[in-house]
Amino acid sequence: MKVGIIGLGFRLGYLGYVFKAIDEAFEVAGYVDPEPAGLATLTEKGISAGRAYATPEELIAGEKLDLLMIGSPNHMHLDHIRIGLEAGLKIFCEKPIVSTIEQSLELAALLSKHGPDRLMVGLVLRYAPLYRDLRAAQAAGTLGHVVSIEAAEHIEPYHGAFFMRDWRRYGRYAGSFMLEKCCHDLDLYNGVVGARPERVASFGGRKSFILANDPSRDGVNDLQLFHRKPSGWLGSDKVFDSDGDIIDYQVAIVEYANGVAMNFHTNLNVPDQFRRFCVIGSRGMAEGDFIRGYLDVHEVLSGRKVVEKRYAKETALSQHYGADEQMAAEIIAHVRDGGPLPVSPLDALEAGILALSMDEARMKRTVVDLRPLWDRFDEALHARAA
């Protein structure tokens, strides 16, 4: 399987290794990236990155590709997806699939013209064993009707500092932290709810990674923790005096079209991090944590624990709780045989729109009604191709 990469950053450098480990026939034919931060990963693993091309158009013209993989900064995804679709290629795009509401509507129009089947998205947690077990319990009727969800994604200070130093610190490139990092989680719970979000309120800001909290002001000079994770394009050493517009904590509440309610909390400065959820239904309750590696399901009537599963945080290949290698295997099968996938570009767009609406609510300090936006989205999605 010959693959071209647009945006050979850390993520696609790592995924290139995972895909190659799953399928020896996986071959990177060429890439486009003026600063390929992920090239070193491929080189260290003995994997060739093929030829360096100056533009996506030159890459596509110069190679016969089975798959185009997009790992460029978020604000570039739409243009790169458009180039791939117009060239008739199958495409894998890292999340978030686009970075603004307007880009979401533009991509919906593109999918109206080209169809969604040639576009795959790297919402990797859909492939996690824990999530699949949650959906299995739900499908078995153990939870009954979902009523409400409490969920959180909290990350350790070294990872939070990475966001303060990386290109993702700028909303004009990343969209926002809620979009860049938490679109995974929002997609999962959209899937559990089975309906679109309709109303959103949110609050947050930056209170941890500010100059007043710089440990060096208190004489702490060993600050390796905050530089442990390398940054790529537009990288900076500044952590507590970052020039970015990113937040470091946010809470949101969501009401879905079917009446399900959810609260979601994220924080970038949590020393004992967790990524957990509690899905409460009419007949049962499911609690789980991707980082701490458990899923427990209790029945309402008996109070019995009917599901008790434990999971490894990482496997030999996966940075995401066993999901990376599973995603690679299923993407490869899909490219070759058209096998089913657990997540679609439409799911990715809906998760992204929710994340961006959370930020709109946070910035405007108001409840955002998404229903007019969904009308615009559906109009773009179902428009006749010109």
Side-chain angles (χ1 to χ4, degrees):
M1 187 170 79
K2 293 188 70 174
V3 174
I5 293 177
I6 303 175
L8 182 51
F10 292 120
R11 177 63 179 166
L12 283 199
Y14 161 71
L15 281 183
Y17 158 63
V18 175
F19 274 66
K20 184 71 171 179
I22 295 297
D23 184 356
E24 186 60 33
F26 179 88
E27 175 190 350
V28 181
Y31 69 91
V32 179
D33 193 325
E35 299 181 36
L39 183 59
T41 300
L42 294 181
T43 301
E44 289 168 5
K45 299 295 183 181
I47 301 170
S48 171
R51 179 181 170 187
Y53 287 87
T55 68
E57 291 85 355
E58 290 178 17
L59 168 65
I60 292 169
E63 303 289 347
K64 184 174 176 58
L65 300 175
D66 299 301
L67 179 66
L68 182 67
M69 299 185 77
I70 297 173
S72 49
N74 304 343
H75 71 294
M76 299 179 179
H77 286 181
L78 177 63
D79 286 340
H80 294 156
I81 290 170
R82 180 185 291 111
I83 290 168
L85 288 175
E86 291 177 351
L89 293 173
K90 293 182 179 180
I91 302 163
F92 170 87
C93 183
E94 254 305 315
K95 59 79 194 169
I97 197 163
V98 290
S99 65
T100 68
I101 293 294
E102 289 308 314
Q103 285 187 347
S104 301
L105 298 175
E106 287 184 54
L107 181 53
L110 269 178
L111 296 179
S112 171
K113 180 179 180 180
H114 296 282
D117 295 339
R118 287 191 287 119
L119 179 57
M120 295 152 271
V121 64
L123 285 167
V124 67
L125 292 191
R126 284 266 189 158
Y127 298 84
L130 191 161
Y131 183 68
R132 286 182 156 166
D133 288 341
L134 168 65
R135 295 306 306 274
Q138 182 181 11
T142 310
L143 303 180
H145 301 294
V146 176
V147 176
S148 59
I149 299 175
E150 178 182 296
E153 182 187 7
H154 299 320
I155 66 174
E156 290 178 322
Y158 87 91
H159 203 167
F162 160 79
F163 280 96
M164 295 298 147
R165 296 167 27 245
D166 192 63
W167 59 263
R168 294 166 177 84
R169 68 189 184 273
Y170 300 122
R172 62 185 179 273
Y173 299 133
S176 69
F177 178 80
M178 188 65 76
L179 177 70
E180 159 63 25
K181 189 70 172 70
C182 301
C183 65
H184 279 305
D185 304 78
L186 300 181
D187 170 61
L188 297 185
Y189 307 124
N190 282 356
V192 168
V193 172
R196 284 175 171 172
E198 282 200 345
R199 277 172 285 274
V200 176
S202 184
F203 308 92
R206 194 192 304 179
K207 289 188 175 181
S208 293
F209 290 102
I210 59 174
L211 199 56
N213 294 332
D214 186 344
S216 65
R217 293 165 66 95
D218 297 323
V220 178
N221 295 316
D222 183 7
L223 301 180
Q224 183 179 359
L225 166 68
F226 302 109
H227 298 86
R228 184 190 307 168
K229 187 175 174 67
S231 58
W233 178 58
L234 294 181
S236 168
D237 288 333
K238 295 183 176 181
V239 176
F240 295 91
D241 53 347
S242 170
D243 63 347
D245 50 21
I246 194 173
I247 57 91
D248 62 24
Y249 75 99
Q250 190 168 347
V251 297
I253 53 175
V254 183
E255 183 182 35
Y256 286 86
N258 59 2
V260 173
M262 177 175 76
N263 63 51
F264 186 81
H265 180 198
T266 187
N267 192 296
L268 284 66
N269 191 44
V270 179
D272 187 12
Q273 64 181 358
F274 54 92
R275 195 173 198 171
R276 69 189 179 201
F277 58 84
C278 182
V279 179
I280 302 172
S282 58
R283 296 189 176 185
M285 176 180 78
E287 294 178 89
D289 191 317
F290 289 95
I291 291 176
R292 298 177 182 179
Y294 71 86
L295 174 67
D296 294 332
V297 179
H298 287 79
E299 289 181 335
V300 165
L301 292 180
S302 68
R304 290 190 307 116
K305 183 186 291 187
V306 293
V307 174
E308 182 176 4
K309 294 196 173 185
R310 299 298 179 260
Y311 308 85
K313 178 178 178 180
E314 295 184 2
T315 65
L317 287 178
S318 182
Q319 296 175 345
H320 291 96
Y321 333 113
D324 288 297
E325 65 265 49
Q326 188 63 39
M327 181 181 74
E330 294 186 34
I331 291 290
I332 290 168
H334 180 78
V335 171
R336 286 182 171 163
D337 308 319
L341 295 174
V343 63
S344 74
L346 301 182
D347 295 324
L349 283 168
E350 292 186 359
I353 286 171
L354 174 56
L356 291 163
S357 297
M358 286 177 173
D359 282 294
E360 179 185 356
R362 175 179 61 83
M363 290 183 284
K364 291 183 177 179
R365 294 180 175 270
T366 188
V367 175
V368 172
D369 185 347
L370 278 74
R371 287 173 295 182
L373 177 54
W374 292 128
D375 290 341
R376 294 173 61 200
F377 179 80
D378 288 335
E379 182 179 358
L381 188 61
H382 300 297
R384 290 183 178 273

